[in-house]
Amino acid sequence: YADGLFYLADALYQQGNSIGARLYLRDLLALESPRFQQALSRYLEVNHAPGKVAELEAWIAKARALSRSGTLSPELSYAYARALHRSDDLPLEQKLQRVRELLQPLTAPEAEPALRTPAAYLLGVLLVEEGRLPEAAAHFGGVSALPVTNDRDRQVRELAFLAHGRVLYEQGLFDAAVDRYNQVDRSSAHFPDALYEIAWAQVKREDAGSARDATELLLLAAPDSPL
């Protein structure tokens, strides 16, 4: 029965039906199943609403209890960090510290390669939230230089280019910000955002011609975009 619930939820997830997947994953989380950690990782991935920390930690405690080693899988540690980051009932400083403690082991050289780049990116987000912009700029520069081994890494690298550009923009380093935005690939889903933000950076540089060029390219590249 637990296997059936898991595969049904996973099939719905792969169809893009997050609501259906959440429904059956929630049923699975009510059981004591060997698939509990796997199901909880997926549930936290598809449940984007801010959660309550008490409920989240009850699930994590159950995951540890059902594990022979008493530890969390790397996938669940990452999903736990993201869910905790979305929570809205912890003081900000405490929340960021706990999220950082979960993510840092995932960026170690010996850690799971598939999670190293996403975890590193989220650590950069924490620096921004703490207002540590020079450190965040250096960090995102490092994230965008990490090896790309799959589509997820590629998407995270594009987000790191954008984040690096935004941090440089906030520091008034408009030339450097434009250089970073220009590294977003033209085939990327984030290319229109990069063009839009290039245009504003050029406005800040008082270069109206370059701002116009970026805007005209945006109109051609993404004519149906709200941008």
Side-chain angles (χ1 to χ4, degrees):
Y1 179 66
D3 286 343
L5 281 175
F6 178 80
Y7 285 119
L8 176 54
D10 193 62
L12 291 165
Y13 169 81
Q14 293 191 50
Q15 287 181 325
N17 184 348
S18 295
I19 295 174
R22 282 202 304 269
L23 176 68
Y24 292 106
L25 288 167
R26 187 96 188 192
D27 286 347
L28 182 52
L29 292 175
L31 307 176
E32 293 189 0
S33 161
R35 292 190 177 275
F36 188 87
Q37 289 211 23
Q38 197 176 3
L40 183 54
S41 298
R42 181 58 56 80
Y43 180 79
L44 295 177
E45 180 183 347
V46 298
N47 184 34
H48 300 299
K52 296 302 178 185
V53 171
E55 181 181 33
L56 178 60
E57 292 188 340
W59 277 331
I60 293 298
K62 184 175 179 180
R64 292 187 191 278
L66 292 173
S67 169
R68 291 181 180 177
S69 64
T71 60
L72 304 181
S73 68
E75 293 78 12
L76 181 51
S77 292
Y78 177 69
Y80 178 26
R82 292 190 65 197
L84 193 59
H85 187 237
R86 290 194 300 271
S87 67
D88 55 7
D89 57 348
L90 276 180
L92 180 62
E93 184 177 349
Q94 180 184 349
K95 177 172 74 172
L96 297 184
Q97 181 59 31
R98 290 181 60 184
V99 172
R100 181 173 283 117
E101 289 169 357
L102 287 165
L103 291 174
Q104 283 177 334
L106 301 179
T107 63
E110 67 277 9
E112 171 63 44
L115 294 173
R116 197 174 299 144
T117 301
Y121 174 82
L122 190 48
L123 283 171
V125 173
L126 303 185
L127 291 171
V128 173
E129 292 182 0
E130 291 170 325
R132 297 158 62 182
L133 298 187
E135 292 174 72
H139 184 87
F140 285 124
V143 173
S144 59
L146 291 173
V148 173
T149 58
N150 53 47
D151 286 341
R152 187 185 198 181
D153 286 351
R154 191 170 295 105
Q155 292 174 17
V156 173
R157 183 176 65 175
E158 301 295 331
L159 288 171
F161 287 145
L162 272 181
H164 195 179
R166 288 167 178 164
V167 171
L168 292 168
Y169 179 97
E170 290 297 326
Q171 295 178 90
L173 303 172
F174 303 120
D175 290 346
V178 169
D179 288 343
R180 212 49 167 160
Y181 290 134
N182 274 323
Q183 292 184 277
V184 176
D185 193 271
R186 286 176 176 253
S187 64
S188 169
H190 303 291
F191 184 59
D193 295 284
L195 288 173
Y196 182 78
E197 295 180 30
I198 284 171
W200 276 111
Q202 301 291 17
V203 168
K204 290 290 188 179
R205 293 177 65 241
E206 299 184 357
D207 184 348
S210 295
R212 183 191 62 242
D213 292 344
T215 306
E216 288 178 349
L217 184 54
L218 171 59
L219 292 170
L220 292 171
D224 299 322
S225 168
L227 293 174

